[in-house]
Amino acid sequence: MAMRGHSSSSLLSNHTKERVTMAKVTLENFYSNLVTQHEEREMRQQKLEKVMDEEGLPDEEKRLRRSEHARKETEFLRLKRTRLGLDDFESLKVIGRGAFGEVRLVQKKDTGHVYAMKILRKADMLEKEQVGHIRAERDILVQADSLWVVKMFYSFQDKQNLYLLMEFLPGGDMMTLLMKKDTLTEEETQFYVAETVLAIDSIHQLGFIHRDIKPDNLLLDSKGHVKLSDFGLCTGLKKAHRTEFYRNMSHSLSNDFTSQNMNSKRKAETWKRNRRQLAFSTVGTPDYIAPEVFMQTGYNKLCDWWSLGVIMYEMLIGYPPFCSDTPQETYKKVMNWKETLVFPPEVPISDRAKHLILRFCCEADHRIGAAGVEEIKRNPFFEGVDYDHIRERPAAIPIEIKSIDDTSNFDEFPESDILQPAVTAVASSHGDADFKNKDWVFINYTYKRFEGLTARGAIPSYMKGGKR
């Protein structure tokens, strides 16, 4: 009997096993969501009570606030049951494009609120094994409710795509800012690095390691302040970086780097010419990744501080320290950082700036931040920084916002067909049946934030200038 039972279980088809897994995940998600909804509702109530106590409101005012809050909670439950889809939004403009999709500026038809809609093709996610990565980003954006992290209001899906509805940050990103300028002053660099320190620390406090800190992922809000984005590489929720790509090809490379003899001006020009292409490719650039992450011998949150050191170098010098003509050459330079991390004499920077960069970009055991974020904040380079009120002060480089859909701080992109039905694209690599069988892995992707569904007429003041 035991033998027969064993043989019958081993004869279960992959299709049956997948259906069992699907049922298990569906049930787990259903009950998990019920518990989470209850906990979130309790937290919102506690937060309201705390705020009212701090404000010292009279009993009658408290009663009115509780009544208004209860109305919002009821409305939230009703709106959560409504199905959100593409028809609820008007697409205004493409503001970003990457290897697996694009970002569009959209407007919600019923409220007029403007969002950045990140669109990801499901077929590409499956083919490139990115499901865990984008799932990680969605889950972290749900959990990370911070001034330093781009806020996600909704997520939903259809047969073709996944959609993330984020707050629209009209300041663009740090990559675009750095490409517009040759270099930043030390005062400007101090501001952006200090804000990024606080942003990275806010993620670390949640127990996450970002692992992909780079200028592309430092967004600027309407006043020019930093917010972190793109959490698909957060540790514990995603496979390691694409290290195999660099490793497999590094053996065939010579030690003679082609850009070694360039002066700093030519290096900066070459870097800026290639930078945008690297940002859109599936390979990306390893310029900002800490060497211990590539080695896969163990790393911790200190790898994010290495990345910040590389960005600081780029702000002051005009290009990152390990830039080369190919990602493979860059990888080798990162791994040989003791020889390749040098400061060009023709671009002078202060000793304090050099010292901090070298404290960021060094062995993990000796890296600044190992003793906590206060060790970084106390560094002499940040002398005079008021960390407690830095977001309330004017940004180092002010952002001018002219209208509700001002995209002047973004590159121009041609329209695409990502929102059009594309049966051939799905069928070409998977086949329709195979794709439908795998589509269950995107279950429970839908999300609606309380503030997003209950806000009415709360369009930020800088967006009230009307459309261009």
Side-chain angles (χ1 to χ4, degrees):
M1 288 293 291
M3 289 293 290
R4 277 215 310 258
H6 174 75
S7 61
S8 62
S9 64
S10 64
L11 291 174
L12 286 175
S13 68
N14 288 334
H15 175 73
T16 301
K17 290 177 182 177
E18 197 162 76
R19 298 292 291 182
V20 170
T21 304
M22 178 181 174
K24 179 175 179 286
V25 170
T26 302
L27 287 169
E28 287 177 349
N29 279 313
F30 176 78
Y31 289 106
S32 175
N33 285 339
L34 288 179
V35 173
T36 301
Q37 286 177 28
H38 175 74
E39 290 175 346
E40 289 176 349
R41 185 168 183 144
E42 289 290 309
M43 285 176 60
R44 288 193 292 269
Q45 185 67 43
Q46 291 170 13
K47 185 177 180 181
L48 173 66
E49 296 295 333
K50 182 180 178 182
V51 169
M52 292 193 298
D53 288 342
E54 289 174 350
E55 293 179 1
L57 298 179
D59 290 344
E60 179 60 20
E61 179 65 24
K62 285 185 177 180
R63 187 187 68 78
L64 292 173
R65 288 270 191 102
R66 291 188 188 108
S67 177
E68 174 64 16
H69 181 76
R71 185 193 65 78
K72 285 187 174 183
E73 288 284 4
T74 301
E75 183 183 16
F76 180 56
L77 288 175
R78 180 180 65 80
L79 291 170
K80 270 182 77 80
R81 289 192 288 268
T82 62
R83 191 175 183 86
L84 203 62
L86 272 180
D87 291 341
D88 296 296
F89 300 90
E90 179 188 355
S91 178
L92 303 178
K93 188 177 182 180
V94 179
I95 57 174
R97 186 159 287 141
F100 304 109
E102 65 185 32
V103 180
R104 287 177 177 247
L105 180 67
V106 299
Q107 188 169 32
K108 199 163 186 285
K109 293 176 181 178
D110 61 347
T111 63
H113 291 186
V114 171
Y115 301 96
M117 176 188 278
K118 186 172 183 178
I119 308 164
L120 298 165
R121 291 180 293 265
K122 283 185 174 181
D124 288 347
M125 297 295 101
L126 288 168
E127 184 178 355
K128 305 295 184 183
E129 297 183 335
Q130 298 288 307
V131 176
H133 314 173
I134 54 95
R135 192 61 186 241
E137 177 173 34
R138 177 257 184 221
D139 292 347
I140 290 167
L141 287 171
V142 168
Q143 186 174 342
D145 189 7
S146 165
L147 284 173
W148 297 106
V149 174
V150 60
K151 190 181 289 290
M152 182 183 74
F153 289 98
Y154 314 109
S155 62
F156 60 92
Q157 59 179 299
D158 57 26
K159 289 182 180 179
Q160 284 187 168
N161 302 317
L162 302 173
Y163 303 91
L164 294 168
L165 275 296
M166 330 279 284
E167 62 178 319
F168 172 53
L169 300 179
D173 60 41
M174 185 60 62
M175 177 180 74
T176 303
L177 181 67
L178 291 177
M179 289 181 69
K180 286 179 181 177
K181 294 179 170 289
D182 290 333
T183 56
L184 301 185
T185 66
E186 293 209 3
E187 185 179 6
E188 291 167 343
T189 300
Q190 182 199 62
F191 169 81
Y192 291 117
V193 174
E195 286 213 331
T196 307
V197 166
L198 296 177
I200 293 172
D201 182 55
S202 74
I203 291 298
H204 289 175
Q205 287 184 32
L206 290 173
F208 298 126
I209 306 172
H210 193 285
R211 296 203 311 173
D212 200 23
I213 300 294
K214 57 185 178 182
D216 322 42
N217 295 336
L218 302 180
L219 304 186
L220 302 174
D221 68 13
S222 61
K223 296 182 179 178
H225 293 277
V226 168
K227 288 203 177 195
L228 269 181
S229 73
D230 203 338
F231 297 89
L233 289 181
C234 269
T235 185
L237 299 172
K238 179 183 191 269
K239 294 176 184 177
H241 283 73
R242 294 176 289 271
T243 52
E244 292 77 11
F245 175 84
Y246 306 111
R247 282 186 181 154
N248 292 343
M249 300 191 70
S250 62
H251 299 297
S252 61
L253 297 170
S254 69
N255 290 321
D256 184 21
F257 300 115
T258 56
S259 59
Q260 218 165 29
N261 297 321
M262 289 186 187
N263 61 32
S264 59
K265 184 178 180 181
R266 281 190 61 204
K267 263 191 182 180
E269 290 171 351
T270 302
W271 168 250
K272 289 178 179 178
R273 187 167 60 248
N274 297 334
R275 182 64 172 88
R276 189 71 65 186
Q277 184 180 349
L278 284 170
F280 299 155
S281 72
T282 55
V283 175
T285 171
D287 278 273
Y288 308 95
I289 300 173
E292 66 265 24
V293 176
F294 284 126
M295 293 168 67
Q296 294 184 301
T297 54
Y299 57 88
N300 54 30
K301 64 184 180 181
L302 296 176
C303 68
D304 287 340
W305 300 129
W306 168 285
S307 303
L308 183 55
V310 175
I311 294 172
M312 181 177 171
Y313 182 107
E314 181 177 355
M315 288 176 173
L316 294 169
I317 305 299
Y319 53 87
F322 312 111
C323 70
S324 300
D325 287 344
T326 68
Q328 296 80 25
E329 290 177 2
T330 299
Y331 163 77
K332 289 192 70 175
K333 280 190 174 184
V334 171
M335 299 309 292
N336 293 288
W337 62 269
K338 290 181 181 179
E339 288 74 39
T340 56
L341 179 53
V342 294
F343 296 91
E346 64 268 26
V347 187
I349 63 173
S350 70
D351 289 339
R352 289 200 305 185
K354 284 183 184 178
H355 178 265
L356 180 55
I357 291 170
L358 293 173
R359 293 286 285 112
F360 279 133
C361 298
C362 63
E363 295 95 341
D365 293 344
H366 303 108
R367 195 170 300 157
I368 192 169
V373 71
E374 293 300 324
E375 181 186 14
I376 301 174
K377 291 161 73 171
R378 288 195 303 266
N379 187 273
F381 181 76
F382 297 117
E383 184 179 355
V385 172
D386 181 2
Y387 290 100
D388 293 333
H389 303 96
I390 193 168
R391 276 201 92 89
E392 301 160 21
R393 305 286 168 82
I397 300 175
I399 303 293
E400 184 181 354
I401 305 302
K402 299 174 183 176
S403 64
I404 190 173
D405 59 350
D406 186 356
T407 56
S408 58
N409 294 303
F410 294 84
D411 282 348
E412 293 292 326
F413 295 91
E415 279 294 323
S416 72
D417 60 356
I418 193 170
L419 299 180
Q420 302 301 317
V423 178
T424 54
V426 174
S428 61
S429 56
H430 300 279
D432 285 334
D434 190 32
F435 181 77
K436 287 175 184 175
N437 288 340
K438 292 181 179 178
D439 195 47
W440 70 268
V441 299
F442 301 109
I443 195 170
N444 202 36
Y445 193 79
T446 300
Y447 172 76
K448 295 168 184 171
R449 188 175 289 276
F450 179 79
E451 301 96 311
L453 285 181
T454 58
R456 286 291 182 271
I459 299 176
S461 58
Y462 69 85
M463 289 184 172
K464 293 179 179 175
K467 291 186 182 182
R468 271 189 295 110

